[in-house]
mmCIF file of all heavy atoms in Angstrom:
data_model
loop_
_atom_site.group_PDB
_atom_site.id
_atom_site.type_symbol
_atom_site.label_atom_id
_atom_site.label_comp_id
_atom_site.label_asym_id
_atom_site.label_seq_id
_atom_site.Cartn_x
_atom_site.Cartn_y
_atom_site.Cartn_z
ATOM 1 N N GLN A 252 -1.465 1.655 -13.720
ATOM 2 C CA GLN A 252 -0.237 1.458 -14.456
ATOM 3 C C GLN A 252 0.992 1.811 -13.549
ATOM 4 O O GLN A 252 0.848 2.401 -12.562
ATOM 5 C CB GLN A 252 -0.154 2.392 -15.737
ATOM 6 C CG GLN A 252 -0.185 3.820 -15.421
ATOM 7 C CD GLN A 252 -0.395 4.731 -16.643
ATOM 8 O OE1 GLN A 252 -1.438 4.507 -17.326
ATOM 9 N NE2 GLN A 252 0.518 5.607 -16.958
ATOM 10 N N ASP A 253 2.205 1.349 -14.018
ATOM 11 C CA ASP A 253 3.349 1.706 -13.327
ATOM 12 C C ASP A 253 3.636 3.249 -13.418
ATOM 13 O O ASP A 253 3.520 3.832 -14.551
ATOM 14 C CB ASP A 253 4.625 0.998 -13.854
ATOM 15 C CG ASP A 253 4.559 -0.532 -13.626
ATOM 16 O OD1 ASP A 253 3.773 -0.894 -12.747
ATOM 17 O OD2 ASP A 253 5.365 -1.254 -14.223
ATOM 18 N N THR A 254 3.935 3.849 -12.239
ATOM 19 C CA THR A 254 4.168 5.280 -12.235
ATOM 20 C C THR A 254 4.996 5.599 -11.013
ATOM 21 O O THR A 254 5.625 4.728 -10.433
ATOM 22 C CB THR A 254 2.865 6.142 -12.309
ATOM 23 O OG1 THR A 254 3.191 7.491 -12.371
ATOM 24 C CG2 THR A 254 2.025 5.824 -11.049
ATOM 25 N N GLU A 255 5.029 6.888 -10.733
ATOM 26 C CA GLU A 255 5.753 7.260 -9.448
ATOM 27 C C GLU A 255 5.154 8.568 -8.883
ATOM 28 O O GLU A 255 4.601 9.318 -9.624
ATOM 29 C CB GLU A 255 7.235 7.467 -9.653
ATOM 30 C CG GLU A 255 7.665 8.704 -10.504
ATOM 31 C CD GLU A 255 9.178 8.912 -10.498
ATOM 32 O OE1 GLU A 255 9.907 7.916 -10.560
ATOM 33 O OE2 GLU A 255 9.483 10.116 -10.318
ATOM 34 N N LEU A 256 5.292 8.743 -7.610
ATOM 35 C CA LEU A 256 4.789 9.902 -6.892
ATOM 36 C C LEU A 256 5.977 10.415 -6.083
ATOM 37 O O LEU A 256 6.478 9.734 -5.136
ATOM 38 C CB LEU A 256 3.625 9.593 -5.992
ATOM 39 C CG LEU A 256 2.200 9.493 -6.641
ATOM 40 C CD1 LEU A 256 1.255 9.011 -5.668
ATOM 41 C CD2 LEU A 256 1.829 10.910 -7.139
ATOM 42 N N ALA A 257 6.424 11.597 -6.367
ATOM 43 C CA ALA A 257 7.638 12.262 -5.648
ATOM 44 C C ALA A 257 8.740 11.318 -5.497
ATOM 45 O O ALA A 257 9.421 11.219 -4.501
ATOM 46 C CB ALA A 257 7.084 12.781 -4.312
ATOM 47 N N GLY A 258 8.991 10.557 -6.615
ATOM 48 C CA GLY A 258 10.170 9.720 -6.607
ATOM 49 C C GLY A 258 9.887 8.335 -6.001
ATOM 50 O O GLY A 258 10.706 7.380 -6.085
ATOM 51 N N CYS A 259 8.630 8.104 -5.450
ATOM 52 C CA CYS A 259 8.301 6.815 -4.889
ATOM 53 C C CYS A 259 7.660 5.966 -5.977
ATOM 54 O O CYS A 259 6.688 6.371 -6.624
ATOM 55 C CB CYS A 259 7.297 6.992 -3.756
ATOM 56 S SG CYS A 259 6.615 5.416 -3.138
ATOM 57 N N PRO A 260 8.182 4.760 -6.265
ATOM 58 C CA PRO A 260 7.642 3.894 -7.267
ATOM 59 C C PRO A 260 6.271 3.407 -6.896
ATOM 60 O O PRO A 260 5.983 2.981 -5.810
ATOM 61 C CB PRO A 260 8.647 2.810 -7.442
ATOM 62 C CG PRO A 260 9.362 2.739 -6.127
ATOM 63 C CD PRO A 260 9.423 4.140 -5.642
ATOM 64 N N VAL A 261 5.344 3.469 -7.856
ATOM 65 C CA VAL A 261 4.019 2.896 -7.688
ATOM 66 C C VAL A 261 3.731 1.942 -8.827
ATOM 67 O O VAL A 261 3.994 2.287 -9.976
ATOM 68 C CB VAL A 261 2.908 4.047 -7.726
ATOM 69 C CG1 VAL A 261 1.551 3.471 -7.532
ATOM 70 C CG2 VAL A 261 3.211 5.064 -6.705
ATOM 71 N N ARG A 262 3.336 0.662 -8.470
ATOM 72 C CA ARG A 262 3.190 -0.328 -9.473
ATOM 73 C C ARG A 262 1.679 -0.539 -9.868
ATOM 74 O O ARG A 262 0.826 -0.246 -8.933
ATOM 75 C CB ARG A 262 3.759 -1.710 -8.987
ATOM 76 C CG ARG A 262 5.279 -1.555 -8.553
ATOM 77 C CD ARG A 262 6.125 -1.225 -9.707
ATOM 78 N NE ARG A 262 7.551 -1.110 -9.263
ATOM 79 C CZ ARG A 262 8.471 -0.477 -9.878
ATOM 80 N NH1 ARG A 262 8.160 0.159 -11.014
ATOM 81 N NH2 ARG A 262 9.719 -0.496 -9.473
ATOM 82 N N ALA A 263 1.474 -0.961 -11.075
ATOM 83 C CA ALA A 263 0.069 -1.211 -11.440
ATOM 84 C C ALA A 263 -0.527 -2.216 -10.445
ATOM 85 O O ALA A 263 0.083 -3.283 -10.134
ATOM 86 C CB ALA A 263 0.056 -1.837 -12.840
ATOM 87 N N GLY A 264 -1.721 -1.921 -9.997
ATOM 88 C CA GLY A 264 -2.343 -2.798 -9.019
ATOM 89 C C GLY A 264 -2.184 -2.463 -7.595
ATOM 90 O O GLY A 264 -2.856 -2.949 -6.732
ATOM 91 N N ASP A 265 -1.184 -1.478 -7.286
ATOM 92 C CA ASP A 265 -0.964 -1.017 -5.942
ATOM 93 C C ASP A 265 -2.194 -0.284 -5.378
ATOM 94 O O ASP A 265 -2.802 0.477 -6.131
ATOM 95 C CB ASP A 265 0.283 -0.106 -5.849
ATOM 96 C CG ASP A 265 1.638 -0.796 -5.878
ATOM 97 O OD1 ASP A 265 1.563 -2.101 -5.784
ATOM 98 O OD2 ASP A 265 2.666 -0.197 -5.973
ATOM 99 N N ASN A 266 -2.503 -0.545 -4.109
ATOM 100 C CA ASN A 266 -3.552 0.286 -3.502
ATOM 101 C C ASN A 266 -2.884 1.587 -2.915
ATOM 102 O O ASN A 266 -1.709 1.530 -2.450
ATOM 103 C CB ASN A 266 -4.099 -0.465 -2.328
ATOM 104 C CG ASN A 266 -4.925 -1.686 -2.774
ATOM 105 O OD1 ASN A 266 -5.690 -1.569 -3.736
ATOM 106 N ND2 ASN A 266 -4.672 -2.864 -2.055
ATOM 107 N N LEU A 267 -3.637 2.696 -2.975
ATOM 108 C CA LEU A 267 -3.158 3.935 -2.363
ATOM 109 C C LEU A 267 -4.093 4.504 -1.370
ATOM 110 O O LEU A 267 -5.291 4.451 -1.553
ATOM 111 C CB LEU A 267 -2.936 5.011 -3.520
ATOM 112 C CG LEU A 267 -1.877 4.752 -4.598
ATOM 113 C CD1 LEU A 267 -2.443 4.041 -5.798
ATOM 114 C CD2 LEU A 267 -1.177 6.037 -5.075
ATOM 115 N N LEU A 268 -3.528 4.853 -0.206
ATOM 116 C CA LEU A 268 -4.323 5.507 0.793
ATOM 117 C C LEU A 268 -4.005 7.067 0.707
ATOM 118 O O LEU A 268 -2.824 7.439 0.943
ATOM 119 C CB LEU A 268 -4.102 4.986 2.205
ATOM 120 C CG LEU A 268 -4.575 3.593 2.482
ATOM 121 C CD1 LEU A 268 -4.218 3.154 3.855
ATOM 122 C CD2 LEU A 268 -6.077 3.531 2.314
#
Side-chain angles (χ1 to χ4, degrees):
Q252 63 189 57
D253 291 349
T254 184
E255 69 171 43
L256 279 170
C259 174
V261 180
R262 306 301 180 196
D265 280 353
N266 295 315
L267 295 92
L268 290 178

